[in-house]
């Protein structure tokens, strides 16, 4: 297969850059290999829906990762704002009230519930007042979020196999905290390689810095696609 033909929607690249111009330049460099891009807080606060629309106009899919967590009315009204924009996936925190409010207003967007942030380890979790195990909390948040209307969950690759077993084949599982073997962890704690995450049952791997900070981002994306096979 020629290198330019390797493209795969399982890879979502996090466009964690400060401006629309930087995001679109990166998306254009990655376009031979990447179809799916994540817009997060930094980029959205600067560039808003315009950058999402520009990515869609280039034929890409967009995951809007604003991780809403507020009272139900506020979450419903915020999610309603996605109407008219072609947002494939949007995130909220995995609390049943929040998920239910988002699901009511979601239109064609799939709602993913964030279980426990991949930057948190057991110690940080205890500090926030949770006494139980991290895996139990992830499972509880996933099960209750799906019951409340989520289309899928965001979890670390370390809990993916457990969730896939518990949730079955249908819910979307997207995993950040992806680190190829030669990458640094940065602020991520619960990490695994692209291959391990996909083998554990992830539908999507979300990768930021290992691609965006690489000397050759397109080559880094291609290597990840080759790794997941
Ligand atoms: O650079 P890195 O690969 O760590 O980027 C991971 C991306 O996934 C970031 O944009 C981060 O906001 C997002 N994310 C995460 N953990 C979650 C949900 C989203 O790291 N639980």
């Amino acid at each position: 297969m020629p290198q330019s033909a390797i493209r795969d929607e399982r890879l979502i690249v996090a466009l964690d850059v400060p401006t629309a111009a930087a995001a679109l330049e990166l998306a254009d460099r990655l376009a031979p290999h990447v179809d799916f891009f994540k817009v997060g807080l930094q980029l959205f606060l600067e560039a808003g829906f315009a950058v999402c629309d520009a990515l869609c106009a280039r034929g890409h899919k967009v995951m809007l990762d604003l991780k809403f967590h507020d009272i139900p009315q506020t979450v419903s009204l915020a999610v309603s704002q996605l109407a008219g924009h072609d947002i494939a996936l949007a995130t909220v925190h995995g609390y049943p009230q929040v998920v239910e409010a988002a699901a009511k207003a979601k239109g064609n967007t799939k709602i993913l519930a964030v279980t426990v942030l991949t930057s948190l380890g057991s110690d940080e979790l205890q500090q926030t007042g949770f006494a139980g195990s991290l895996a139990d909390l992830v499972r509880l948040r996933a099960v209750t979020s799906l019951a409340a209307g989520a289309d899928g969950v965001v979890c670390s690759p370390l809990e993916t196999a457990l969730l896939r077993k518990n949730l079955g084949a249908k819910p979307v599982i997207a995993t950040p905290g992806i680190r190829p073997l030669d990458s640094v962890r940065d602020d991520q704690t619960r990490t695994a390689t692209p291959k391990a995450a996909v083998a554990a049952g992830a539908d999507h791997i979300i990768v930021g810095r290992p691609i965006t900070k690489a000397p050759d981002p397109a080559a880094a994306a291609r290597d990840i696609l080759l790794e997941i096979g």
Side-chain angles (χ1 to χ4, degrees):
M1 186 190 292
Q3 284 190 348
S4 59
I6 306 171
R7 263 167 138 219
D8 191 327
E9 281 193 7
R10 287 179 296 173
L11 173 61
I12 301 178
V13 173
L15 292 173
D16 292 329
V17 294
T19 64
L24 295 175
E25 193 206 333
L26 192 52
D28 289 344
R29 284 177 76 180
L30 293 172
H33 306 299
V34 183
D35 270 332
F36 216 143
F37 291 97
K38 184 171 89 67
V39 174
L41 287 167
Q42 180 194 22
L43 180 58
F44 192 80
L45 286 171
E46 166 67 19
F49 281 116
V51 72
C52 304
D53 296 343
L55 288 164
C56 292
R58 284 161 154 82
H60 299 309
K61 286 192 169 183
V62 173
M63 172 178 183
L64 187 57
D65 185 24
L66 302 181
K67 299 189 186 67
F68 295 141
H69 186 186
D70 211 313
I71 61 170
Q73 164 85 347
T74 302
V75 171
S76 280
L77 292 173
V79 172
S80 309
Q81 297 287 72
L82 309 188
H85 304 280
D86 194 7
I87 306 295
L89 301 172
T91 56
V92 303
H93 277 281
Y95 292 78
Q97 273 194 343
V98 174
V99 174
E100 199 179 326
K104 270 188 206 152
K106 70 181 185 172
N108 293 326
T109 300
K110 287 188 175 168
I111 299 295
L112 298 188
V114 177
T115 54
V116 176
L117 293 172
T118 45
S119 56
L120 297 179
S122 297
D123 289 348
E124 290 86 1
L125 202 65
Q126 305 256 322
Q127 283 162 14
T128 61
F130 292 101
S133 82
L134 209 147
D136 282 348
L137 183 60
V138 169
R139 189 172 45 199
L140 175 76
R141 294 237 172 106
V143 168
T144 54
S145 293
L146 291 172
D151 297 284
V153 297
V154 179
C155 64
S156 100
L158 303 187
E159 295 100 37
T160 298
L162 173 80
L163 289 193
R164 186 53 85 201
K165 194 168 148 223
N166 277 258
L167 307 178
K170 191 169 169 225
V172 177
I173 299 183
T175 70
I178 300 297
R179 289 295 179 267
L181 280 177
D182 56 355
S183 297
V184 290
R185 271 189 175 187
D186 305 303
D187 55 353
Q188 296 286 14
T189 299
R190 299 183 344 268
T191 62
T193 62
K195 190 172 187 156
V198 168
D203 298 294
H204 298 289
I205 53 172
I206 299 168
V207 186
R209 287 160 289 185
I211 290 176
T212 60
K213 302 281 187 214
D216 182 346
R222 190 191 61 229
D223 288 348
I224 287 175
L225 294 181
L226 288 171
E227 180 183 327
I228 65 179

